[in-house]
């Protein structure tokens, strides 16, 4: 936070949030495929490496700094969420819907309970996101 507040020049968090949202809208919407997910992850990593470290919360007035700081935190969170969503979507090689949203892979259009009736668990290890699976919670 101190770095964001002390950097008087840099990338405005609102611009970074728009860049992440554009990638999410294009590649992480309801219909996904390996090609798009690969592009999304590549673009997100580029933004994370080039733009995120240059983010600034600086503004002349305290209210502007507070708004920019909130936007910095949101941009950082959006980046993490987009990377996690893309990683999990890439890992799950099937299509699956439900009450709380859906996941449709145009390159894997069918539901595959034999191989994918499981939960995907994401784990951060040394800065990288890894995936593993766990059995689903079933009603008693």
């Amino acid at each position: 936070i101190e770095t964001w507040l002390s950097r008087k020049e840099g990338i405005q968090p609102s611009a970074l949030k728009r860049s992440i949202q554009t990638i999410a809208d294009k590649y992480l919407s309801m219909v996904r495929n390996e090609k798009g997910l690969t592009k999304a992850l590549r673009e997100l990593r580029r933004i994370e490496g080039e733009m995120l470290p240059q983010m600034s919360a600086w503004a002349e007035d305290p209210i502007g700094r507070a708004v920019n700081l909130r936007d910095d935190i949101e941009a950082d969170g959006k980046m993490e969420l987009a990377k996690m969503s893309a990683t999990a979507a890439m890992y799950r090689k099937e299509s699956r819907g439900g009450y709380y949203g859906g996941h449709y892979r145009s390159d894997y259009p069918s539901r595959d309970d034999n191989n994918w009736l499981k939960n995907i668990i994401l784990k951060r290890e040394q800065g990288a996101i890894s995936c593993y699976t766990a059995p689903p919670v079933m009603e008693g």
Side-chain angles (χ1 to χ4, degrees):
I1 289 176
E2 288 180 16
T3 301
W4 289 336
L5 288 170
S6 65
R7 185 178 291 125
K8 291 190 177 185
E9 293 183 14
I11 296 172
Q12 290 297 306
S14 57
L16 188 57
K17 284 171 46 176
R18 279 191 304 275
S19 295
I20 296 165
Q21 189 64 51
T22 298
I23 292 167
D25 288 345
K26 188 170 184 179
Y27 301 113
L28 302 177
S29 63
M30 186 68 162
V31 178
R32 305 162 180 175
N33 59 52
E34 185 172 354
K35 183 178 177 183
L37 292 167
T38 299
K39 286 181 182 180
L41 285 166
R42 184 173 43 245
E43 281 298 302
L44 291 167
R45 287 182 189 121
R46 182 189 63 76
I47 290 170
E48 183 178 40
E50 295 175 10
M51 296 174 74
L52 199 63
Q54 300 303 316
M55 201 163 47
S56 171
W58 176 255
E60 290 292 329
D61 63 294
I63 293 172
R65 283 192 299 277
V67 168
N68 285 345
L69 183 57
R70 182 199 66 219
D71 283 346
D72 280 353
I73 293 166
E74 288 177 1
D76 189 58
K78 279 181 181 254
M79 175 61 73
E80 286 302 306
L81 180 59
K83 288 188 318 182
M84 289 187 301
S85 295
T87 300
M90 179 75 86
Y91 190 75
R92 183 174 290 277
K93 305 228 184 298
E94 68 151 357
S95 291
R96 181 168 295 270
Y99 291 109
Y100 302 106
H103 167 73
Y104 180 77
R105 290 274 306 252
S106 59
D107 48 350
Y108 295 95
S110 298
R111 182 174 167 152
D112 180 2
D113 284 348
N114 289 331
N115 294 305
W116 287 103
L117 185 59
K118 52 183 115 183
N119 293 315
I120 295 176
I121 312 297
L122 300 172
K123 184 176 182 181
R124 176 171 293 291
E125 297 176 304
Q126 299 174 1
I129 299 170
S130 63
C131 297
Y132 63 95
T133 60
V137 176
M138 305 299 276
E139 290 185 46

